[in-house]
């Protein structure tokens, strides 16, 4: 028997849980399906924390999404009593001279400042000497670094955000099916979704399958999306003195290229460790074949190249690691658009390693479009057509 639904959301990670919650809030009949049981450690949304910056140096087109995300997380915190967003502040720092590149954009600090000014986001522009004075966790600064400090930024708890949206969505009437894999999706009039436990026919579907998007949808996504393995490391701190209550999350470019950088988080309350990571774009993987084990040599190299001499109290002792998927487009931007051949299938993913902060806002704008609401956010920059 074929089940009928208004909306089916395929994948319930960061993006899918947000779309499901927003559809349920609008009273829509929505079914969410996931091959695992989110939040889980198999995709792109695990590892305790994700940085959020409101003035995103990736570009002003993203700002309405993240600003809306912050509003939604506060709303969810009030509804659920869960702490989702810690606005401990965020610092973005680059060398004082020479070119820099981050998430495919040059001059990321200057771009962040520009977006902050355009959107009236509270911020300060600092040099390295001022950073060293105010935030003693950062060591070895030359003094002439350029830094953007945003007191309203910080980090979110990704697993809690996903759970909160799924729980609220379910309370509002959405159906959630975990341990169910979508095997194929097609449109002949309605959308037909074959799953490991039967067929669903939907008015519209949303594919939020993260690293599995290309294998599920094929062309043109198999040409546009690549998947990179990224690693998170938790290093023990032998001294917490430099990490006061206002210690910010940080993005620290210390060289000219996209990989000359580290980002990290202040220790969580009661924890004596610092979580940090860098990025790599050279080695490709797939969501099904990624090596989820982290070799101790990887953490040793991360420490030697990026952590040593830069973070107060950080020792090379690692107590936890995680491997995670970045699903990346050619311009390191997002795809939030209808499928080029199927107008009833919306694709929301490929968030190129910087999507979590926008996810709640993306859920809102997508649900609005699916239910025929007004276009409050211009999604042109996230179209598939830009790659043609
Ligand atoms: C290490 C790392 C650090 C990051 N740091 C930041 C950060 O600091 N700030 C920030 O804003 N962003 C950050 N990001 C990016 C952000 O986390 C991702 O953009 C976001 O989590 C992607 O969410 P998603 O919903 O697309 O994918 P996922 O959360 O992986 O969800 C996809 C879901 O689809 C399901 N699925 C897939 N295929 C099927 C199928 N066929 N049938 C049923 N279910 C299916 C999967 O099981 C999964 O649950 C980081 C990413 C990584 C990996």
């Amino acid at each position: 028997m074929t089940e009928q639904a208004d909306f089916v959301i395929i994948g319930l990670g960061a993006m899918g849980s947000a779309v499901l919650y927003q559809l349920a809030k609008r009273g829509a009949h929505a079914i969410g399906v996931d091959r695992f049981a989110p939040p889980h450690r198999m995709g792109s949304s695990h590892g305790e924390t994700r940085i959020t910056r409101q003035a995103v140096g990736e570009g002003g087109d993203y700002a309405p999404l993240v600003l809306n995300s912050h509003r939604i997380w506060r709303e969810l915190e009030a509804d659920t009593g869960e702490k989702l967003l810690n606005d401990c502040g965020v610092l973005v720092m680059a060398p004082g001279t020479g070119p820099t590149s981050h998430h495919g954009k040059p001059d990321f600090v200057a771009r962040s400042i520009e977006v902050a000014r355009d959107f009236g986001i509270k911020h300060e522009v600092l040099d390295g000497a001022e950073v060293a004075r105010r935030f003693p966790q950062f060591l070895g600064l030359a003094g002439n670094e350029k830094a953007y400090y945003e007191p309203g930024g910080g980090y979110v708890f990704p697993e809690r955000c996903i759970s909160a949206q799924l729980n609220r969505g379910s309370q509002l009437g959405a159906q959630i099916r975990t341990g169910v894999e979508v095997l194929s999706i097609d449109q002949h009039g309605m959308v037909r979704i074959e799953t490991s436990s039967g067929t669903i026919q939907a008015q519209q579907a949303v594919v939020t399958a993260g690293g599995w998007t290309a294998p599920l949808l094929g062309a043109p996504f198999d040409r546009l999306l690549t998947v990179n393995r990224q690693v998170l490391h938790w290093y023990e701190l032998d001294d917490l003195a430099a990490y006061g209550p206002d210690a910010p999350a940080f993005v620290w470019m210390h060289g000219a290229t996209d990989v000359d950088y580290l980002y990290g988080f202040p220790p969580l309350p009661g924890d004596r460790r610092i979580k940090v990571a860098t990025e790599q774009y050279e080695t490709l993987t797939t969501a099904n074949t990624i090596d989820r084990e982290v070799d101790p040599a990887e953490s040793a190299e991360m420490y030697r190249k990026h952590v040593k001499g830069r973070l107060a109290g950080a020792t090379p002792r690692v107590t936890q690691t995680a491997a995670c998927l970045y699903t990346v487009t050619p311009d390191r931007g997002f795809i939030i658009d209808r499928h080029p051949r199927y107008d009833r299938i919306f694709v929301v993913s490929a968030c190129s390693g910087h999507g979590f902060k926008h996810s709640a806002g993306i859920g809102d704008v997508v649900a609005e479009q699916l239910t025929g609401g007004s276009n409050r956010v211009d999604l042109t920059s996230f179209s598939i057509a830009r790659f043609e």
Side-chain angles (χ1 to χ4, degrees):
M1 198 188 77
T2 301
E3 189 178 2
Q4 306 292 322
D6 289 343
F7 301 99
V8 173
I9 297 102
I10 301 168
L12 298 175
M15 306 300 156
S17 62
V19 174
L20 183 94
Y21 166 57
Q22 293 295 337
L23 283 172
K25 264 183 85 175
R26 288 166 172 81
H29 175 220
I31 300 177
V33 179
D34 201 289
R35 63 194 301 160
F36 302 115
H40 58 73
R41 297 175 53 81
M42 306 301 279
S44 305
S45 302
H46 54 287
E48 294 179 351
T49 46
R50 290 287 186 273
I51 290 182
T52 179
R53 307 169 260 114
Q54 298 171 97
V56 274
E58 287 87 356
D61 297 339
Y62 295 84
L65 298 173
V66 63
L67 290 169
N68 198 19
S69 290
H70 280 221
R71 182 191 64 74
I72 294 166
W73 286 320
R74 291 304 187 212
E75 168 190 287
L76 279 162
E77 285 181 336
D79 285 347
T80 63
E82 277 278 337
K83 176 92 178 153
L84 303 180
L85 165 66
N86 184 357
D87 52 359
C88 58
V90 65
L91 186 77
V92 182
M93 187 159 51
T97 54
T100 55
S101 173
H102 184 57
H103 288 168
K105 305 289 184 198
D107 228 346
F108 203 79
V109 171
R111 292 171 64 94
S112 301
I113 295 165
E114 200 181 306
V115 174
R117 288 186 178 142
D118 287 349
F119 286 84
I121 294 161
K122 199 171 160 196
H123 69 284
E124 291 177 58
V125 179
L126 308 175
D127 63 16
E130 183 65 5
V131 170
R133 196 184 62 72
R134 284 179 51 182
F135 304 115
Q137 78 189 83
F138 303 112
L139 306 177
L141 295 169
N144 66 343
E145 288 82 0
K146 299 173 284 194
Y148 166 84
Y149 173 65
E150 185 184 290
Y155 60 88
V156 289
F157 297 96
E159 290 92 346
R160 290 186 204 170
C161 292
I162 291 171
S163 293
Q165 291 172 116
L166 293 180
N167 292 339
R168 284 296 292 140
S170 168
Q171 284 166 5
L172 293 166
Q175 290 181 42
I176 294 171
R177 315 253 170 95
T178 57
V180 175
E181 184 181 359
V182 170
L183 305 171
S184 68
I185 175 166
D186 213 342
Q187 182 182 323
H188 298 286
M190 303 264 280
V191 183
R192 188 176 171 86
I193 299 147
E194 301 291 349
T195 82
S196 53
S197 70
T199 305
I200 313 175
Q201 192 161 277
Q203 295 285 348
Q204 298 191 69
V206 189
V207 177
T208 40
W212 290 265
T213 303
L216 181 62
L217 294 178
F221 300 93
D222 51 359
R223 176 175 60 80
L224 296 177
L225 305 182
T226 51
V227 177
N228 295 113
R229 175 178 177 271
Q230 308 291 352
V231 178
L232 301 165
H233 313 259
W234 284 255
Y235 295 97
E236 276 184 19
L237 294 167
D238 62 9
D239 184 3
L240 283 173
Y243 301 87
D246 60 350
F250 61 92
V251 173
W252 185 352
M253 291 154 254
H254 54 75
T257 75
D258 258 15
V259 293
D260 296 323
Y261 111 103
L262 77 164
Y263 66 93
F265 304 80
L268 296 182
D271 201 355
R272 293 188 61 88
R273 302 173 306 165
I274 187 160
K275 182 187 127 181
V276 298
T278 185
E279 291 174 348
Q280 67 83 22
Y281 294 98
E282 278 182 1
T283 313
L284 298 182
T285 186
T286 71
N288 288 326
T289 58
I290 180 178
D291 182 0
R292 291 194 167 81
E293 295 298 311
V294 177
D295 191 313
E298 296 179 72
S299 299
E301 191 186 352
M302 171 74 197
Y303 186 83
R304 186 179 55 76
K305 274 191 175 167
H306 301 290
V307 179
K308 191 175 177 191
R310 292 203 172 92
L311 295 176
T315 73
R317 293 189 298 276
V318 173
T319 61
Q320 189 181 336
T321 53
C324 194
L325 304 165
Y326 271 17
T327 309
V328 182
T329 66
D331 64 4
R332 309 253 180 102
F334 296 174
I335 291 175
I336 310 173
D337 201 355
R338 293 199 184 262
H339 191 292
R341 294 190 304 280
Y342 305 130
D343 63 345
R344 289 171 181 263
I345 301 176
F346 217 100
V347 183
V348 186
S349 231
C351 291
S352 299
H354 53 103
F356 206 95
K357 64 182 77 61
H358 304 290
S359 57
I362 290 174
D364 192 24
V365 69
V366 170
E368 193 66 10
Q369 293 223 352
L370 292 170
T371 53
S374 58
N375 273 348
R376 281 172 296 141
V377 177
D378 182 3
L379 295 179
T380 314
S381 321
F382 310 115
S383 71
I384 300 174
R386 77 187 191 274
F387 298 116
E388 282 166 2

